[in-house]
């Protein structure tokens, strides 16, 4: 659960060390469930994006800057709880509806993505928002031609600019301010939309998250974070069950799970429920301790700790992506700083993913 180490990396390590069989995959999905909860905490508290939580810091920083880190964490965790509950309930319906929608989605994906990108731009058509979208999009086209550099790009877009510019220590809200309630409608819509996103061929989890985020970009910040929690948590179930629903692997962790133990729907359902239970138990342990977690992480918002955190991320990027990864993170950081200075909507940096997807599906 180290920041920057994705669950796919953990799965590959387990496979390489010979972990296999039903119990091996079960352990993998236990780790997956735990990681979804913990990723939300460090993405919000430390502004470190992962592949699946890439857009979370951009949203959470709006609340964190007001001393509402605990409220952000709670919104994410509660959204995740709703997400796994709704995904489990929707599973029988998904077996009926999704296969019939698959061909339509594949044949019209360019138009669907074009609509999504148009919605993002037109919903708040300020010049700085359009520039941020286009600039990030062109940069995304470049880096995806060069290799898998999504983590350096996200760290540059969202984390380093905040470490360099927003250096004020975050206050801790009072206990009653942390305990916010959430509406069930937003996570329900997010969970259903996540299932539909699996119909898109070649679109991995980070891309799903960022494209889906556009749907919720203009709603209240807490609801936005709640939606992202639901998306990430419902992926625990969808990632492996889609093998049976649409007969395709869509995520790295599911592909590796199949290599570890090739099995059928019954075992997949059990594994999905095990992963969901791991998330739920972790969430149950986190919720009453949010204030303690925020107090523990508060020192990381001090100037010296921000410098150490930036150095850690740079070293991590160098070890995982080499000098090219550091270069990409630096350019992305410059774009992120420009976005902050001009007060552009930071979610428009998702253009780095969407323009690349439009290119992929253009005929």
């Amino acid at each position: 659960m180290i920041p920057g180490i994705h669950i796919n990396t953990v799965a590959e390590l387990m496979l390489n060390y010979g972990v296999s069989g039903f119990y091996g995959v079960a352990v993998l999905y236990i780790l997956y469930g735990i990681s979804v909860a913990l990723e939300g905490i460090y993405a919000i508290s430390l502004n470190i994006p992962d592949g699946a939580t890439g857009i979370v810091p951009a949203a959470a920083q709006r609340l964190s800057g007001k001393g509402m880190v605990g409220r952000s964490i709670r919104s994410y965790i509660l959204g995740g709880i709703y997400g796994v509950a709704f995904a489990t309930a929707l599973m029988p319906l998904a077996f009926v509806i999704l296969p019939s929608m698959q061909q339509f989605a594949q044949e019209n994906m360019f138009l669907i993505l074009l609509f999504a990108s148009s919605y993002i731009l037109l919903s708040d058509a300020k010049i700085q928002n359009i520039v941020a979208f286009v600039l990030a999009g062109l940069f995304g086209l470049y880096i995806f031609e060069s290799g898998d550099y999504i983590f350096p790009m996200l760290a540059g877009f969202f984390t380093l600019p905040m470490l360099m510019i927003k250096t004020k220590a975050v206050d801790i809200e009072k206990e009653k301010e942390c305990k916010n309630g959430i509406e069930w409608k937003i996570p329900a819509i997010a969970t259903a939309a996540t299932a539909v996103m699996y119909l898109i061929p070649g679109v991995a989890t980070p891309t799903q998250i960022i494209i889906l985020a556009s749907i919720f970009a203009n709603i209240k910040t807490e609801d936005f974070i709640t939606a992202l929690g639901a998306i990430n948590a419902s992926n625990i179930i969808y990632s492996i069950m889609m093998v049976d629903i649409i007969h395709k692997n869509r995520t790295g962790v599911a592909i590796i799970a199949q290599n570890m133990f090739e099995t059928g729907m019954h075992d997949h359902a059990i594994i999905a429920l095990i992963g969901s239970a791991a998330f739920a138990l972790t969430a149950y342990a986190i919720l009453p301790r949010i204030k303690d977690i925020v107090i523990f992480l508060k020192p990381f918002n001090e100037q010296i700790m921000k410098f150490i955190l930036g150095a850690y991320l740079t070293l991590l990027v160098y070890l995982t992506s080499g000098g090219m990864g550091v270069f990409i993170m630096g350019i992305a950081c410059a774009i992120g700083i420009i976005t902050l200075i001009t007060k552009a909507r930071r979610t428009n940096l998702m253009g780095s993913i969407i323009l690349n997807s439009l290119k992929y599906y253009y005929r």
Side-chain angles (χ1 to χ4, degrees):
M1 309 311 143
I2 300 173
I5 304 300
H6 194 268
I7 188 62
N8 290 350
T9 307
V10 175
E12 289 174 357
L13 288 172
M14 291 176 65
L15 181 63
N16 290 337
Y17 279 101
V19 178
S20 61
F22 173 85
Y23 293 107
V25 178
V27 170
L28 171 61
Y29 266 72
I30 289 173
L31 295 177
Y32 188 8
I34 295 171
S35 72
V36 170
L38 298 185
E39 284 168 1
I41 291 176
Y42 66 67
I44 291 168
S45 299
L46 305 180
N47 299 318
I48 301 178
D50 203 325
T53 56
I55 205 72
V56 171
Q61 283 157 7
R62 302 172 200 165
L63 293 180
S64 299
K66 300 175 183 178
M68 300 172 72
V69 176
R71 200 174 182 93
S72 299
I73 293 173
R74 183 178 174 83
S75 295
Y76 178 89
I77 295 296
L78 290 177
I81 292 173
Y82 273 117
V84 294
F86 286 131
T88 302
L90 287 173
M91 198 57 60
L93 195 60
F95 273 95
V96 176
I97 294 178
L98 293 185
S100 63
M101 296 174 57
Q102 189 172 11
Q103 184 175 356
F104 173 83
Q106 292 180 3
E107 291 175 353
N108 297 278
M109 192 46 58
F110 178 78
L111 294 176
I112 294 171
L113 291 176
L114 186 62
F115 172 80
S117 57
S118 299
Y119 173 81
I120 295 169
L121 293 173
L122 295 176
S123 61
D124 191 2
K126 296 178 181 177
I127 184 65
Q128 62 265 41
N129 291 335
I130 295 173
V131 170
F133 184 93
V134 173
L135 192 61
L138 294 175
F139 182 63
L141 290 175
Y142 166 73
I143 73 158
F144 281 101
E145 289 289 333
S146 305
D148 183 10
Y149 295 106
I150 190 166
F151 175 66
M153 181 184 73
L154 294 177
F157 279 158
F158 299 116
T159 306
L160 291 185
M162 294 303 294
L163 294 178
M164 296 170 66
I165 294 178
K166 303 288 186 179
T167 56
K168 180 183 176 182
V170 174
D171 295 326
I172 301 170
E173 64 264 60
K174 296 178 181 178
E175 191 76 26
K176 63 179 181 180
E177 294 173 341
C178 177
K179 293 184 177 180
N180 56 315
I182 66 170
E183 292 286 339
W184 62 269
K185 295 178 182 179
I186 293 295
I189 295 171
T191 302
T194 304
V196 175
M197 287 300 295
Y198 272 90
L199 299 177
I200 305 176
V203 176
T205 302
T207 313
Q208 293 173 24
I209 302 301
I210 293 174
I211 293 174
L212 278 174
S214 65
I215 301 173
F216 306 99
N218 292 322
I219 64 175
K220 190 170 64 174
T221 301
E222 288 177 55
D223 290 337
F224 184 66
I225 298 170
T226 299
L228 292 169
I231 292 167
N232 282 328
S234 62
N235 266 303
I236 300 169
I237 294 175
Y238 292 140
S239 61
I240 195 164
M241 292 306 300
M242 286 297 164
V243 176
D244 305 296
I245 296 174
I246 60 175
H247 307 292
K248 293 182 183 294
N249 288 311
R250 289 286 191 247
T251 64
V253 68
I255 293 171
I256 295 170
Q258 282 293 91
N259 291 332
M260 292 170 65
F261 181 58
E262 189 171 349
T263 184
M265 181 178 65
H266 179 264
D267 287 334
H268 287 162
I270 295 174
I271 290 167
L273 291 175
I274 288 173
S276 299
F279 171 83
L281 289 172
T282 306
Y284 178 78
I286 289 171
L287 285 174
R289 298 172 178 84
I290 289 178
K291 187 172 182 180
D292 294 333
I293 292 170
V294 175
I295 292 173
F296 174 77
L297 292 173
K298 185 179 179 181
F300 288 91
N301 285 296
E302 301 294 339
Q303 182 82 12
I304 184 63
M305 293 304 298
K306 284 177 177 285
F307 175 80
I308 293 173
L309 188 57
Y312 161 74
L313 282 175
T314 303
L315 177 62
L316 182 61
V317 167
Y318 179 76
L319 292 175
T320 57
S321 305
M324 185 64 176
V326 175
F327 172 74
I328 286 172
M329 184 173 67
I331 300 298
C333 178
I335 296 173
I337 289 174
I338 292 171
T339 303
L340 276 176
I341 292 174
T342 59
K343 297 183 179 179
R345 193 170 62 181
R346 299 184 73 207
T347 50
N348 278 33
L349 294 174
M350 69 182 74
S352 57
I353 302 292
I354 292 180
L355 284 190
N356 194 71
S357 299
L358 280 169
K359 178 186 176 184
Y360 179 84
Y361 289 108
Y362 178 72
R363 298 290 186 266

